[in-house]
Amino acid sequence: MRKITYKERAAFYIREVKKDYKKIKLLKVIKDKYDITSMVLCPCASGIYLKECSEIFKESYFIDIEKTMVNIINNQKELQSIKNVKTYTYDMKNISELKIECDCIFALDQGIQYLNYSNFKIFLENCYSVTKYVVLELFDFNLGKSLTYYDSKVEDNKFYFSKQFMHNDLNIKRYNKHIHHKNYIEFWYQYFHKDNLLFETNFKLYNYEYNLIRKIVDRSNKFIIQEKIKNENGTYIIILKRISNKK
């Protein structure tokens, strides 16, 4: 058994994480409601929604901190002859350094929750010069709800089966465990083929409780919460609007 990183996980990420058609519907709804023609998706991982974004929006920018993920997207762009999606390997919190502009930034699937609260403040600060809207899909891990990779009914530090997929002609089973800390949740994944433990990985997500995030947004003096959408599974979506036109 060996420990793998986000870079190595890229080799099978697109098979492990399945397309969620509710996300595609959300992209279309936001596009129509707020007249979005250009967008940023960050983090974009291996580009699960590459085809859809290329069709929904006139121009898209896919950003991820891992070059291997971005390389996979570039290969898919070439295979599918997609011309209106640009890719960048970059830390999303420093997005203004890319010198791009768009109508909306999307951070789906709790992707923004890789950032601690200080880095989230930096992200908001840097978004101001880039976009008019920011759409964040968030999750409060203290509400007793569940995600595809998190089950609040399972006690801390206990592995449970969560997913099955094919990789290199092997039937892979993934087992998860989580550990709650004061401000973040630590996750461990173990990947098995039959009874053989092949590899494991770990990461952490910060808990984005709504009232705390609202205070951070309010104190930024850059954005206001234009809309909040609450879902039954415990996720919530906030749509931020830039307070005034950038100078």
Side-chain angles (χ1 to χ4, degrees):
M1 187 275 297
R2 63 189 178 94
K3 188 174 180 180
I4 63 171
T5 64
Y6 183 53
K7 176 180 180 179
E8 293 165 302
R9 195 176 166 205
F12 55 83
Y13 191 89
I14 202 164
R15 288 178 289 280
E16 179 184 7
V17 180
K18 299 299 183 183
K19 193 172 295 188
D20 183 347
Y21 288 92
K22 290 182 179 179
K23 301 289 191 304
I24 300 171
K25 182 179 179 180
L26 174 67
L27 293 172
K28 291 178 179 178
V29 168
I30 299 297
K31 184 257 185 186
D32 292 339
K33 186 171 185 177
Y34 294 99
D35 193 25
I36 306 300
T37 60
S38 59
M39 62 90 80
V40 163
L41 182 63
C42 64
C44 62
S46 58
I48 296 170
Y49 301 107
L50 172 64
K51 181 176 182 292
E52 288 76 15
C53 287
S54 71
E55 293 172 347
I56 295 171
F57 303 100
K58 184 177 180 180
E59 187 173 34
S60 298
Y61 303 90
F62 277 36
I63 301 171
D64 201 272
I65 201 168
E66 175 50 56
K67 188 176 187 298
T68 306
M69 291 287 192
V70 173
N71 287 343
I72 291 172
I73 297 172
N74 288 335
N75 289 337
Q76 288 300 310
K77 282 175 54 182
E78 185 174 351
L79 287 172
Q80 299 178 47
S81 299
I82 292 174
K83 306 296 185 183
N84 63 342
V85 177
K86 297 180 181 178
T87 58
Y88 297 92
T89 303
Y90 218 74
D91 188 329
M92 61 184 174
K93 77 174 186 292
N94 300 322
I95 189 169
S96 61
E97 296 176 3
L98 291 173
K99 305 298 182 184
I100 60 177
E101 293 188 33
C102 67
D103 297 323
C104 186
I105 295 174
F106 291 86
L108 304 177
D109 295 306
Q110 300 79 55
I112 201 69
Q113 292 179 231
Y114 284 104
L115 301 182
N116 62 30
Y117 307 133
S118 295
N119 285 334
F120 177 59
K121 294 175 185 177
I122 294 172
F123 172 78
L124 285 181
E125 181 77 20
N126 287 327
C127 283
Y128 186 74
S129 64
V130 176
T131 190
K132 183 177 180 181
Y133 295 101
V134 180
V135 177
L136 306 175
E137 183 185 17
L138 308 172
F139 187 81
D140 184 346
F141 289 96
N142 293 325
L143 293 181
K145 301 291 185 175
S146 298
L147 296 165
T148 57
Y149 59 91
Y150 171 78
D151 187 346
S152 63
K153 296 178 182 179
V154 179
E155 64 188 58
D156 275 14
N157 215 21
K158 180 179 180 180
F159 277 104
Y160 64 96
F161 172 74
S162 65
K163 185 161 291 190
Q164 185 169 325
F165 59 95
M166 297 298 296
H167 173 55
N168 287 341
D169 296 325
L170 298 179
N171 187 8
I172 304 296
K173 291 184 177 181
R174 190 186 79 187
Y175 291 80
N176 296 16
K177 76 173 181 180
H178 53 256
I179 303 172
H180 288 74
H181 297 270
K182 182 179 180 180
N183 294 323
Y184 66 90
I185 315 298
E186 183 180 8
F187 293 90
W188 287 86
Y189 291 173
Q190 289 188 338
Y191 300 86
F192 286 82
H193 173 57
K194 296 182 179 179
D195 293 328
N196 298 319
L197 176 57
L198 303 177
F199 33 78
E200 69 176 13
T201 192
N202 73 302
F203 60 94
K204 63 183 178 182
L205 295 176
Y206 287 84
N207 195 46
Y208 275 40
E209 187 271 329
Y210 175 71
N211 287 329
L212 171 62
I213 298 307
R214 179 178 54 80
K215 288 178 182 178
I216 293 175
V217 172
D218 289 346
R219 291 171 181 171
S220 75
N221 292 319
K222 300 293 184 183
F223 292 89
I224 60 170
I225 296 178
Q226 178 78 11
E227 185 177 352
K228 179 186 177 185
I229 304 169
K230 189 175 180 181
N231 295 322
E232 292 182 359
N233 69 346
T235 61
Y236 66 97
I237 295 163
I238 57 173
I239 302 170
L240 309 181
K241 182 180 180 182
R242 191 167 56 199
I243 289 175
S244 60
N245 291 330
K246 66 186 182 68
K247 297 178 180 180

